[in-house]
Amino acid sequence: MIAYAAEAGEHAGEHSLFAEAEFWVAVAFVVFVVLIARKAFKAMTTLLDARSARIAQSINQAERLRQEAETALAAHQQKQQEALKEAQSIVAQARIEAERLKTKAVSDLEKQLAQQEKHALERIAQAEQKALDEVRNTAVDVAIAAARAVLKDQISQGKAQELVDQAIAQMPQRMH
């Protein structure tokens, strides 16, 4: 047995996995890789966590900016609608005012034309009256001249004076 164990030990040493340097190099390499991988995994995890936090922060900031932009857009659209309503109100008021001014202008023009027509008719009536007065005066002057001429030829001086006195007495009655 001892011989067998010695022989097995010799053979075991020759073929034993633990006795070979390549095995220990492989074990050391695996341990090294595991240790390095652990540290590298921690570093990568830290980097990825930091990057994930930055991305989440960027997403949150983008969401906040989007909400602010939507709020600003809604406020701008509301202001635009209010401005449009105000502009429409101003245009409606301007139309009403223009119509009122047009109506007033037409009314004033009609009044002015009526006044001018009245004045023109008054001037025409005055001119007609003046013309009639001139015609009457001329007719009276002609009649007086003709009557004088006829009376001179046919009536004596005493009778002429009597007729003149009568005409003067009747004059106020004929004037009215």
Side-chain angles (χ1 to χ4, degrees), residues 7-17 19-20:
E7 194 177 305
E10 275 180 27
H11 287 287
E14 286 177 18
H15 294 302
S16 167
L17 188 60
E20 295 199 21

Side-chain angles (χ1 to χ4, degrees), residues 102-114:
K102 176 184 167 188
T103 304
K104 186 178 184 303
V106 167
S107 174
D108 290 347
L109 181 61
E110 287 174 353
K111 286 178 185 176
Q112 185 180 10
L113 289 175

Side-chain angles (χ1 to χ4, degrees), residues 43-63:
M44 284 186 357
T45 304
T46 304
L47 288 174
L48 289 176
D49 287 343
R51 184 170 181 190
S52 173
R54 283 193 313 268
I55 291 171
Q57 184 180 13
S58 294
I59 289 172
N60 289 339
Q61 184 178 9
E63 181 65 26

Side-chain angles (χ1 to χ4, degrees), residues 64-142:
R64 183 181 51 81
L65 291 174
R66 184 186 62 79
Q67 288 175 350
E68 288 176 5
E70 286 176 353
T71 303
L73 178 63
H76 176 71
Q77 287 175 341
Q78 183 178 0
K79 285 180 183 178
Q80 184 180 17
Q81 288 174 351
E82 289 172 1
L84 181 61
K85 286 178 184 178
E86 186 176 342
Q88 289 172 343
S89 174
I90 289 171
V91 168
Q93 287 291 353
R95 284 187 178 141
I96 290 169
E97 183 66 17
E99 188 62 33
R100 185 187 66 78
L101 290 174
K102 176 184 167 188
T103 304
K104 186 178 184 303
V106 167
S107 174
D108 290 347
L109 181 61
E110 287 174 353
K111 286 178 185 176
Q112 185 180 10
L113 289 175
Q115 190 71 20
Q116 287 177 353
E117 182 181 4
K118 179 183 171 186
H119 287 297
L121 290 175
E122 287 174 358
R123 285 193 300 260
I124 290 170
Q126 289 173 354
E128 285 177 354
Q129 188 62 41
K130 186 177 177 184
L132 285 174
D133 289 344
E134 287 177 6
V135 168
R136 275 191 205 136
N137 290 338
T138 305
V140 168
D141 289 342
V142 169

